[in-house]
């Protein structure tokens, strides 16, 4: 029986985090009433002229440097001609002949724990199209041009990936890198990161690539993985049935887990590219490039290694904390205040993530301050409050960013650590529960648990559990 392997390359579109569009001053904010973020330039009105947003070039260069690309210091824009209802000019300003970044690579971790290099063929700048809104009940489609002219970079990989797992690892690496750079929020659900997947299959050992198809409409990592598996299966079934795979663009329906043909796959000549006459060439001087390079932040891999070495965190902690830039920033800022990295890590990875999951929140939506988390850790370290009180207080920090010191004082939650006061309470509980005392003295040591519980109840959970156990043991063993 023939064995096949999948060959995968990606075209990843990323919306850049500029406040205004690539060639005009309209807002790039997500949402807004349809066609409210528009002007003559981004709606393609005759006589309107584009002016390049400098920040777009800086973000593109920053991503290129972070993905080990060669920067094209003299580059230009081209016109990609095609008609589509959401493309107001009937052409897109893009880059074909001289893309801004070329010949890069990123390293990913494979499912077996190994390393693999995925080549980046090029990164080019371009403008986004508008958005078609289809009427579910009728046959009408409406056009919203708010997204038209939003700046994009398109990251084109080499066909180096061989499985859905490798594709997801590559996308995660790109997303993390771009988020750390601050170049985009890379939210798939909002369309600020989109991936078109080029897939072909060939017999294991064959040197020639098979006929490829392009899969579109992929807006989550799960959808991408399902689409790759389904398309691989479809192509293998065609080949085994003696049929040919047709080069085409296919649309993935994730609800039905099915794809269907949209159009035959175009090549560059179909778009009749020519140099964009309304924009001058871009010259990136050595000084400008060095300025961008000098502002590059610490990326995830470097940060992870530093957390293990500087903060003595386990690799597992470092991996989770650096998996989101906002979480990493919160960890570092809190640690700088309270100097207890492992304690900070435990609170972020434990209670914070539990409450985030319950509230269905992203880390970017966390709004409590590092100062208040540091104060809470200080209160537990000083044994001013016990762990159960700390968890209760943290819920209020998480929801309302309250000052834990003021909250503990106001609600009388400080630990009852006065030996005399606590001893009196415990002596009464021992006197009121002779059966538990008898059980304990008869060798049933677990009976102390009931007495501890009664003590915590009597002190409204404010007693120091260690002190309760010590006093109880002392009284029971007299």
């Amino acid at each position: 029986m023939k064995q096949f392997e999948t060959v995968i390359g990606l075209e990843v579109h990323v919306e850049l985090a500029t406040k205004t569009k690539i060639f005009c001053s309209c807002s790039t904010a997500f949402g807004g009433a349809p066609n409210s973020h528009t002007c003559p330039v981004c709606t393609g009105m005759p006589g309107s002229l584009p002016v390049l947003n400098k920040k777009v070039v800086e973000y593109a260069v920053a991503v290129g440097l972070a993905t080990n690309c060669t920067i094209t210091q003299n580059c230009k824009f081209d016109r990609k001609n095609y008609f589509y209802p959401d493309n107001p000019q009937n052409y897109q300003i893009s880059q074909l002949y001289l893309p801004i970044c070329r010949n890069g690579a990123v390293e990913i971790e494979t499912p077996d724990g190994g390393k693999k290099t995925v080549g980046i063929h090029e990164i080019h700048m371009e403008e986004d199209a508008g958005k078609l809104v289809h009427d579910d009940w009728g046959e009408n489609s409406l056009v919203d041009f708010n997204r038209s002219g939003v700046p994009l970079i398109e990251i084109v990989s080499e066909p180096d990936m061989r499985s859905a797992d490798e594709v997801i690892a590559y996308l995660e690496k790109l997303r993390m890198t771009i988020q750390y750079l601050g170049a985009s929020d890379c939210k798939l659900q909002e369309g600020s990161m989109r991936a078109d997947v080029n897939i072909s299959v060939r017999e294991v050992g064959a040197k020639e690539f098979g006929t490829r198809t392009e899969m579109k409409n992929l807006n989550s990592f799960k959808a991408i993985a399902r689409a790759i598996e389904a398309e691989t299966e479809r192509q293998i079934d065609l080949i085994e049935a003696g049929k040919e795979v047709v080069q085409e663009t296919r649309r993935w329906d994730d609800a039905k887990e099915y794809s269907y043909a949209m159009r035959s796959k175009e090549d560059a000549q179909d778009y009749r590219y020519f140099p964009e006459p309304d924009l001058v060439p871009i010259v990136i001087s050595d000084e400008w490039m060095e300025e961008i390079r000098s502002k590059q932040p610490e990326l995830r891999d470097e940060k992870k290694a530093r957390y293990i070495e500087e903060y003595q965190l386990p690799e597992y902690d470092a991996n989770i904390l650096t998996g989101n830039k906002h979480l990493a920033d919160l960890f570092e800022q809190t640690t700088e205040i309270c100097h207890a990295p492992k304690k900070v890590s435990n609170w972020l990875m434990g209670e914070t993530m539990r409450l985030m999951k319950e509230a269905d929140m992203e880390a970017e939506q966390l709004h409590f301050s590092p100062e208040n988390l540091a104060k809470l850790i200080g209160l537990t370290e000083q044994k001013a409050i016990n762990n159960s009180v700390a968890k209760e207080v943290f819920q209020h920090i998480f929801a309302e960013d309250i000052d834990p010191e003021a909250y503990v004082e106001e609600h009388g939650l400080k630990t009852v650590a006065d030996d005399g006061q606590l001893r009196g309470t415990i002596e009464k509980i021992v006197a009121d529960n002779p059966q538990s005392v008898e059980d304990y003295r008869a060798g049933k040591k677990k009976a102390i648990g009931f007495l501890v519980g009664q003590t915590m109840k009597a002190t409204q959970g404010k007693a120091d559990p260690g002190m309760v156990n010590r006093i109880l043991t002392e009284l029971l063993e007299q």
Side-chain angles (χ1 to χ4, degrees):
M1 190 176 173
K2 288 179 181 176
Q3 294 289 309
F4 293 92
E5 75 168 351
T6 314
V7 177
I8 309 165
L10 295 190
E11 296 164 17
V12 178
H13 291 84
V14 176
E15 283 184 4
L16 298 176
T18 55
K19 288 188 166 51
T20 56
K21 294 184 180 181
I22 186 168
F23 300 122
C24 67
S25 58
C26 290
S27 169
T28 56
F30 180 73
N35 298 305
S36 59
H37 300 165
T38 55
C39 73
V41 174
C42 57
T43 51
M45 297 297 172
S48 60
L49 290 171
V51 177
L52 178 60
N53 183 338
K54 183 182 177 185
K55 193 70 182 171
V56 173
V57 180
E58 291 181 351
Y59 277 146
V61 171
V63 174
L65 293 172
T67 52
N68 307 298
C69 289
T70 300
I71 307 301
T72 310
Q73 290 183 248
N74 288 277
C75 63
K76 62 184 180 64
F77 282 101
D78 305 291
R79 274 193 191 178
K80 178 183 183 180
N81 295 278
Y82 68 95
F83 171 76
Y84 203 65
D86 62 3
N87 184 29
Q89 305 116 307
N90 295 333
Y91 61 83
Q92 179 189 35
I93 301 177
S94 182
Q95 292 187 300
L96 175 71
Y97 302 108
L98 292 170
I100 192 165
C101 312
R102 289 182 281 195
N103 305 323
V106 295
E107 191 177 68
I108 62 168
E109 280 190 26
T110 54
D112 60 5
K115 303 279 187 189
K116 179 172 184 171
T117 299
V118 176
I120 290 175
H121 180 71
E122 67 175 56
I123 300 174
H124 59 261
M125 300 177 290
E126 62 186 23
E127 58 180 339
D128 207 347
K131 182 183 180 184
L132 282 178
V133 182
H134 304 292
D135 181 355
D136 291 336
W137 301 99
E139 296 180 356
N140 301 318
S141 293
L142 304 171
V143 191
D144 179 3
F145 288 121
N146 279 352
R147 201 173 67 186
S148 178
V150 166
L152 297 177
I153 50 172
E154 181 174 345
I155 305 166
V156 183
S157 82
E158 298 292 357
D160 289 341
M161 288 159 278
R162 297 292 176 265
S163 69
D165 286 336
E166 288 184 6
V167 167
I168 302 306
Y170 169 73
L171 284 169
E172 284 281 20
K173 185 66 176 272
L174 279 187
R175 181 167 73 165
M176 205 67 63
T177 301
I178 294 165
Q179 284 177 338
Y180 267 78
L181 290 168
S184 173
D185 59 18
C186 292
K187 291 181 180 175
L188 274 81
Q189 71 276 18
E190 291 183 4
S192 57
M193 184 179 190
R194 314 194 285 276
D196 296 337
V197 183
N198 291 290
I199 307 171
S200 65
V201 298
R202 64 181 176 187
E203 281 188 57
V204 173
K207 287 192 168 56
E208 294 292 315
F209 290 143
T211 303
R212 69 190 167 95
T213 60
E214 182 182 38
M215 299 290 284
K216 284 190 175 286
N217 194 37
L218 303 165
N219 57 6
S220 74
F221 287 167
K222 284 180 181 174
I224 289 165
R226 283 193 284 263
I228 290 168
E229 281 154 17
E231 181 60 11
T232 300
E233 215 171 284
R234 188 187 74 86
Q235 290 190 20
I236 291 171
D237 288 346
L238 283 172
I239 294 164
E240 287 181 335
K243 297 175 183 175
E244 285 192 353
V245 175
V246 177
Q247 181 172 322
E248 62 190 359
T249 299
R250 299 182 68 83
R251 185 179 179 85
W252 174 252
D253 186 326
D254 198 47
K256 296 176 183 174
E257 295 195 22
Y258 169 82
S259 71
Y260 53 89
M262 287 171 69
R263 57 181 181 267
S264 61
K265 175 68 178 156
E266 303 89 345
D267 289 312
Q269 63 266 27
D270 297 321
Y271 290 117
R272 305 185 321 282
Y273 278 94
F274 62 83
E276 170 53 58
D278 290 336
L279 288 162
V280 296
I282 301 157
V283 178
I284 301 165
S285 66
D286 291 345
E287 292 79 11
W288 190 16
M289 196 153 81
E290 281 314 305
E291 185 190 329
I292 297 168
R293 195 193 301 275
S294 70
K295 291 176 182 171
Q296 296 286 85
E298 180 184 49
L299 296 177
R300 195 233 179 139
D301 289 349
E302 305 162 83
K303 197 178 279 289
K304 185 175 156 184
R306 181 170 67 82
Y307 281 14
I308 294 167
E309 187 183 339
E310 185 182 328
Y311 298 121
Q312 300 293 299
L313 290 181
E315 188 175 346
Y316 178 79
D317 290 38
N319 204 39
I320 299 288
L321 293 170
T322 58
N324 181 283
K325 187 176 184 297
H326 186 81
L327 207 60
D329 289 346
L330 192 52
F331 165 77
E332 288 188 34
Q333 289 160 11
T334 310
T335 299
E336 199 175 317
I337 299 165
C338 68
H339 309 291
K342 186 64 177 106
K343 291 278 193 314
V344 178
S345 173
N346 291 346
W347 276 103
L348 292 176
M349 289 171 53
E351 286 300 291
T352 305
M353 288 194 166
R354 181 183 68 78
L355 293 169
M356 277 168 59
K357 189 176 178 184
E358 280 179 13
D360 194 22
M361 277 173 64
E362 298 288 328
E364 287 75 17
Q365 295 169 280
L366 292 173
H367 60 269
F368 64 81
S369 65
E371 289 80 10
N372 284 335
L373 177 55
K375 281 181 183 178
L376 181 72
I377 290 167
L379 288 170
T380 57
E381 288 288 277
Q382 297 152 18
K383 298 202 181 311
I385 56 173
N386 62 36
N387 284 338
S388 61
V389 169
K391 285 180 181 180
E392 179 197 324
V393 174
F394 181 70
Q395 289 193 2
H396 292 282
I397 293 175
F398 182 90
E400 307 145 52
D401 196 28
I402 54 111
D403 180 327
E405 291 173 352
Y407 186 88
V408 164
E409 199 64 52
E410 190 183 325
H411 291 81
L413 294 173
K414 277 199 171 172
T415 298
V416 179
D418 180 325
D419 193 326
Q421 184 188 344
L422 192 55
R423 186 175 289 271
T425 303
I426 294 173
E427 282 173 351
K428 184 174 186 315
I429 285 163
V430 168
D432 290 347
N433 293 279
Q435 187 59 55
S436 294
V437 174
E438 195 179 312
D439 289 347
Y440 180 87
R441 288 174 176 161
K444 294 179 183 174
K445 300 297 180 188
K446 285 184 180 175
I448 198 173
F450 175 76
L451 299 170
V452 170
Q454 290 300 301
T455 307
M456 296 309 282
K457 191 175 173 184
T459 59
Q460 297 176 308
K462 292 184 282 184
D464 177 356
M467 190 175 281
V468 171
N469 270 287
R470 180 176 61 75
I471 295 171
L472 266 171
T473 306
E474 190 186 308
L475 292 171
L476 291 170
E477 291 185 353
Q478 280 177 356

